[in-house]
Amino acid sequence: MADRVYIDADVLILGGGTSGCIAAWEARQAGGDDLKIVIMEKAFIRHSGCLSAGMNALNMYINQGTPEDYVAYVRYDICGAPIREDIILSVALEVNDTVKLMESAGLPMKMKEDGRYLNRGKWNIEVNGSLLKPITASKAFDAGAEIYNRVYITELIIKDGSCVGAVGFGVRDGKFYICRGKVTLLCTGGAAGLWRPNNRRDAHHRIWYFPFNCGSAYAMCKRAGAEMTSFEMRLVPIRTKDTFSPTGTMSIGMGAPMVNALGEVFMEKDPYYVSWGGHTAPTPIRMLAFQRETLAHRGPIYLDTTKGDPAKVTGLKGQYLDMSPCIVLYWGCNDIDPSKEPIEIDGGDPYLVGAHAGMSGAWTKGITRETTVQRLYVSGDALGAAPSRFISGSWTCGRIAARHMVKALKENSYQFVDIEEGVCDTLEERTFGPLKRYQEKSAEGVWSDGTLMTGITHKDLESRMQKIMEEYCGGRTHWYFVNETYLDIARKHIKRMRQDQLQYLCVRDLHELQLAWDVINRLDVCQLVIEHMSFRKETRFPGYVNRTDYPEPDPEFDCFVNSVWEQETDEVRCFKVPYEQVVPGDRKKQSI
């Protein structure tokens, strides 16, 4: 038995990233000095999560129009598909105030001569964001939150349909942490690494999305019995070749168009793309265009920086140093000058996100951010069906969630719930299972590299999982195409891995135990993806998910696809949830 650490919190926050830090600050404002706020973070809060490398822009800001106009834009950017308009509107109403708050915390803003923020496109503003995460973390410090770094949360504790806490292990001290919370906010990020990355070997983590986000929020919500949504709508990004750096700095910031190998600006040439708005077409349509041009043998595809704003090309390297310095090094090593030659782009491996141009996550009650599991709230990428919130929107969602959590605390007089010793013992055994199995099986023989003769490593499982998802669930090498036959094969193999092979997962130390839990969580998310994709028998997000057996949208699926995991049968039960339009207007058009 490991040494145990018992923690009690009025507000328990799992994940010290974009949403978690600002949620702690807002909870203090709403709940007062006596509120005990605890943050559990698997890395180190000042330099963890999606913001750890910085960012040069905030992609959600109401530069013009109204919050309702932003909702119309988000709806349009997802090809008119159903979104939680109520949630997006609640964020849009507060996002500008949140940005002001972060500016007062020390975030350096780029300004125009008239004193307004320097905009980049309709809804973006530019920042000097290399220290974005330390500044965000400062809000948690200002709140006086009790912060536990390097604790990997593995499971939520559910009792009588309510979330009453969570457990995890110290990735360095090996202790077993048992955390009770009167209310819990889960915001540990989205999921990378389900599909095979484009780069291999030592560079396999050189991807666009944060590689250490393993979908733990999705997996824990699912295992807790929460209603999940939109896992058939993964994000497939267009990014710079090899470095997979963001492309908005070039396409939006300096107006560089996509061109093919013939130099054609195909987004303004093909009638189908023009009908969607040309170079301002929805994100999935731009991805579809990239795919079609490449498959028609007109690749490689570039962002033609030579046709962008010359005044902005000179500052391009400086902007990338704020968020993706590897591309500046890549250009230097390969003698690439963006002012003289276009920059090659490529399609990345798919990701599951809720706050970027994706919709995966937990379903919530109204705009409270509370899931269908009582006392469990979500924010950031864990919040489903509400895309295009990005950084500033995730800050804002954290604030809104915190206020509702404090309100629920006061109105319901929530108290700590006793957790039986037997429950803790079972959760500890599950948490440290792979480590214990290694110790038991090492007596049967160990190879010269330290791996067991009888056992499966986390690397073996991860490689097998990525191969299955890549080949049968619409990976990059299959150009994101999928059909029911492929999904049936994926279902069969992932089910076997989860039910039969995980019992042989063995690890040597705490670092590998962390990686093992990454794979465990990813496999649970894979199950959600396969079942949601199979249930939505249409192609509603062309470019993201291309179903060859159902190539067109079906009006019968103009709705959300939600699901609940049935623990007794290990089945994911999918069902339709009606879409409610809050902002009037044509869903496939922007209002401004």
Side-chain angles (χ1 to χ4, degrees):
M1 179 179 291
D3 292 338
R4 291 185 174 181
V5 179
Y6 293 89
I7 300 167
D8 284 344
D10 296 315
V11 175
L12 177 61
I13 299 174
L14 308 178
T18 312
S19 288
C21 291
I22 197 72
W25 183 86
E26 189 71 24
R28 178 67 68 208
Q29 310 310 304
D33 295 337
D34 294 334
L35 196 71
K36 185 176 180 182
I37 304 166
V38 171
I39 299 177
M40 312 299 294
E41 165 59 44
K42 80 172 183 179
F44 188 77
I45 196 170
R46 279 178 55 86
H47 301 286
S48 62
C50 293
L51 297 187
S52 56
M55 188 62 64
N56 64 15
L58 302 179
N59 291 345
M60 181 182 184
Y61 189 81
I62 312 302
N63 281 310
Q64 58 182 345
T66 66
E68 287 79 7
D69 291 320
Y70 187 78
V71 175
Y73 155 72
V74 174
R75 192 171 58 196
Y76 163 80
D77 197 53
I78 305 296
C79 302
I83 63 171
R84 284 291 299 271
E85 295 191 18
D86 55 341
I87 293 177
I88 297 296
L89 183 59
S90 72
V91 178
L93 288 167
E94 294 191 35
V95 67
N96 286 20
D97 289 338
T98 301
V99 172
K100 278 291 183 184
L101 173 67
M102 297 309 294
E103 182 183 14
S104 68
L107 179 62
M109 313 296 293
K110 293 185 179 181
M111 312 295 289
K112 294 181 178 180
E113 291 183 359
D114 61 7
R116 291 182 298 164
Y117 294 144
L118 178 62
N119 66 296
R120 191 183 78 176
K122 288 183 179 181
W123 308 108
N124 301 9
I125 54 174
E126 296 188 16
V127 299
N128 290 308
S130 60
L131 297 178
L132 202 56
K133 185 57 203 293
I135 293 169
T136 300
S138 72
K139 301 303 292 182
F141 300 140
D142 292 345
E146 196 172 292
I147 301 169
Y148 291 82
N149 289 305
R150 301 187 176 94
V151 177
Y152 193 118
I153 297 298
T154 56
E155 291 288 3
L156 300 171
I157 305 174
I158 307 299
K159 190 170 184 178
D160 299 327
S162 295
C163 179
V164 298
V167 299
F169 66 95
V171 299
R172 292 192 177 178
D173 62 24
K175 297 177 180 179
F176 185 55
Y177 287 77
I178 301 171
C179 315
R180 293 194 303 174
K182 293 179 181 177
V183 288
T184 300
L185 176 64
L186 182 55
C187 46
T188 57
L194 273 64
W195 287 266
R196 185 184 293 151
N198 291 34
N199 293 325
R200 299 290 190 271
R201 301 183 180 87
D202 290 345
H204 77 288
H205 272 172
R206 182 62 261 166
I207 59 179
W208 166 70
Y209 190 55
F210 192 61
F212 308 109
N213 279 0
C214 62
S216 60
Y218 304 144
M220 285 191 284
C221 278
K222 169 199 160 187
R223 294 195 292 263
E227 189 172 323
M228 311 302 287
T229 187
S230 305
F231 279 83
E232 73 281 9
M233 198 277 193
R234 75 261 177 100
L235 165 62
V236 180
I238 298 176
R239 294 296 178 256
T240 59
K241 183 75 164 59
D242 296 328
T243 64
F244 293 97
S245 302
T247 53
T249 299
M250 292 181 279
S251 61
I252 300 174
M254 56 176 294
M258 275 199 299
V259 299
N260 57 27
L262 304 177
E264 299 171 328
V265 184
F266 50 85
M267 293 301 297
E268 302 296 335
K269 179 180 178 181
D270 188 300
Y272 177 75
Y273 309 139
V274 172
S275 70
W276 274 103
H279 70 276
T280 62
T283 305
I285 300 299
R286 296 199 301 272
M287 183 65 214
L288 178 67
F290 166 85
Q291 296 168 17
R292 285 182 169 182
E293 289 298 306
T294 305
L295 290 172
H297 308 293
R298 291 190 289 269
I301 310 301
Y302 303 89
L303 281 176
D304 194 349
T305 45
T306 67
K307 295 179 180 178
D309 185 341
K312 294 182 178 180
V313 175
T314 57
L316 197 55
K317 292 181 181 179
Q319 291 211 33
Y320 273 112
L321 288 174
D322 270 344
M323 62 171 178
S324 186
C326 64
I327 193 172
V328 181
L329 294 173
Y330 182 84
W331 288 343
C333 292
N334 293 278
D335 298 321
I336 295 174
D337 183 348
S339 67
K340 296 180 180 178
E341 59 183 297
I343 302 302
E344 187 178 355
I345 56 178
D346 197 1
D349 51 311
Y351 308 104
L352 297 177
V353 293
H356 203 282
M359 292 170 48
S360 304
W363 187 259
T364 54
K365 305 171 187 175
I367 63 170
T368 64
R369 277 58 171 177
E370 186 178 23
T371 69
T372 55
V373 175
Q374 191 175 21
R375 297 164 64 170
L376 175 62
Y377 295 72
V378 289
S379 188
D381 277 327
L383 173 62
S388 299
R389 288 171 285 127
F390 306 106
I391 296 169
S392 48
S394 292
W395 282 332
T396 307
C397 269
R399 297 181 66 195
I400 295 172
R403 289 201 298 271
H404 282 286
M405 293 166 75
V406 172
K407 182 173 183 283
L409 267 177
K410 294 177 179 178
E411 292 180 349
N412 298 286
S413 300
Y414 288 140
Q415 301 299 317
F416 294 115
V417 175
D418 291 334
I419 303 169
E420 293 79 5
E421 197 69 15
V423 172
C424 293
D425 293 343
T426 300
L427 291 171
E428 180 180 348
E429 184 177 354
R430 172 171 164 78
T431 295
F432 291 98
L435 188 60
K436 183 180 179 182
R437 281 193 292 273
Y438 183 90
Q439 295 165 352
E440 293 172 347
K441 289 181 174 293
S442 59
E444 301 175 16
V446 180
W447 298 113
S448 59
D449 63 355
T451 58
L452 295 171
M453 293 181 179
T454 56
I456 303 176
T457 70
H458 63 90
K459 289 183 178 179
D460 292 336
L461 279 176
E462 179 181 76
S463 178
R464 176 64 176 160
M465 173 194 69
Q466 290 179 346
K467 176 180 173 64
I468 294 167
M469 295 298 285
E470 180 71 18
E471 297 181 1
Y472 300 113
C473 202
R476 166 66 172 80
T477 55
H478 282 239
W479 284 102
Y480 318 108
F481 288 110
V482 71
N483 60 37
E484 199 66 34
T485 303
Y486 277 127
L487 291 172
D488 285 343
I489 297 172
R491 179 186 293 110
K492 172 186 174 182
H493 288 308
I494 293 297
K495 181 178 181 179
R496 184 183 181 195
M497 291 186 70
R498 293 178 59 256
Q499 294 186 352
D500 300 336
Q501 295 173 344
L502 275 179
Q503 62 183 310
Y504 301 107
L505 175 59
C506 303
V507 299
R508 294 174 289 186
D509 52 37
L510 292 171
H511 176 67
E512 288 191 354
L513 183 61
Q514 176 179 332
L515 298 175
W517 269 99
D518 286 353
V519 176
I520 292 169
N521 287 323
R522 285 184 171 114
L523 282 168
D524 269 345
V525 179
C526 287
Q527 184 190 30
L528 284 172
V529 172
I530 293 166
E531 298 306 329
H532 276 243
M533 275 192 181
S534 177
F535 188 85
R536 187 178 281 280
K537 300 188 186 305
E538 62 164 2
T539 297
R540 186 160 293 270
F541 314 107
Y544 283 4
V545 180
N546 304 318
R547 288 208 59 160
T548 57
D549 46 354
Y550 299 98
E552 300 296 331
D554 183 346
E556 292 295 318
F557 281 95
D558 187 15
C559 59
F560 299 103
V561 171
N562 289 13
S563 69
V564 173
W565 179 63
E566 306 288 355
Q567 183 176 1
E568 294 77 13
T569 60
D570 189 28
E571 299 293 332
V572 172
R573 176 173 56 86
C574 292
F575 49 91
K576 298 177 181 179
V577 173
Y579 161 61
E580 296 182 14
Q581 185 169 348
V582 176
V583 175
D586 187 337
R587 289 161 51 190
K588 293 189 176 182
K589 291 183 179 179
Q590 302 182 68
S591 55
I592 60 173

